[in-house]
Amino acid sequence: MKAKICIDAGHGGSSSGTYSVNTVRDGLFEKDFALEQALMVEKHLLRNGFGVVMTRRTDINPGNVSKRAEIAAKEKSDFALSIHFNGFGSESANGTEIYVPHGEKQAEIESGFYEVLGGFFKIRSPFARSNNLSDRNEIFDKKLDIGTKKFGAVSEKKDYFGFIRGCWEAGISADLLEICFLTNPEDFEKYSKNREKIAEGIAKSIVTAFGEEFVPEKTAEIPVKPRIKRKFDVIN
Ligand SMILES: [Zn+2]
């Protein structure tokens, strides 16, 4: 088996997360979008021979963020990704947020996320957030060098997101993606139209960061016919 990846679909069960521009009509919340995206990413990783640990595969709440990080650690994951979507009272807020551990130096996976999601949404920059919210030295913009695939700023601060913190303390690097704002009409539409491509791009970012060549999904079986040899007369 290649690397083992923990995919955490944010929220679940009674924890609905944010609503979308369409929740009144379709009854779907962040937890539903996160699960759908997580299952699609899982499918691509499995096809590429990766091991996958899912914190949930149905509409349940597997526990708080520490519990979810424990699942990643118990299964000895090589990397963990928590999938979320953003929401805000004002429709105008939009874009992707990539939350990374304060101590992470390597940015191969995040460079992939940056390029894939940047093809659809405004990247609001990779962030590292501290546990102490009153700490004014929080890193809200962790400098990503796409060329070297490394982060510029590294610190030993405690990570704000329990999932990232718990994984990091267990020796696992973890990211939290806020893929886009479900409350922004343009983000919502782009996501709805491209959710398959986004899942494939997320999986591809992980696969290639682990040094493997990504095998895309076959779209259709093309029947192989024997080649017919024909003789042509040369007409002068
Ligand atoms: Zn969330």
Side-chain angles (χ1 to χ4, degrees), residues 29-89:
F29 290 88
E30 178 188 355
K31 64 174 183 174
D32 304 301
F33 291 90
L35 180 60
E36 183 196 54
Q37 185 64 209
L39 290 170
M40 289 194 288
V41 173
E42 179 195 29
K43 178 187 73 179
H44 291 294
L45 290 174
L46 290 175
R47 195 189 54 255
N48 276 274
F50 277 59
V52 182
V53 179
M54 300 288 284
T55 57
R56 69 181 178 102
R57 313 189 85 265
T58 56
D59 185 20
I60 56 151
N61 189 344
N64 62 16
V65 284
S66 312
K67 176 71 193 162
R68 292 166 189 244
E70 265 174 42
I71 296 170
K74 195 170 158 245
E75 298 289 338
K76 302 204 178 345
S77 309
D78 296 294
F79 174 72
L81 176 66
S82 190
I83 296 176
H84 288 253
F85 289 83
N86 245 326
F88 196 63

Side-chain angles (χ1 to χ4, degrees), residues 121-171:
F121 312 107
K122 179 183 88 184
I123 299 279
R124 292 161 58 88
S125 182
F127 296 127
R129 241 176 120 174
S130 329
N131 195 28
N132 179 1
L133 285 175
S134 64
D135 183 344
R136 287 168 188 263
N137 295 315
E138 285 177 79
I139 302 171
F140 268 114
D141 180 5
K142 204 162 149 76
K143 291 287 178 217
L144 172 71
D145 186 328
I146 294 274
T148 61
K149 296 187 175 174
K150 283 194 171 22
F151 287 116
V154 168
S155 85
E156 292 306 309
K157 289 175 184 298
K158 268 195 179 244
D159 292 293
Y160 166 75
F161 288 103
F163 185 76
I164 293 180
R165 190 171 67 245
C167 285
W168 190 256
E169 283 168 0

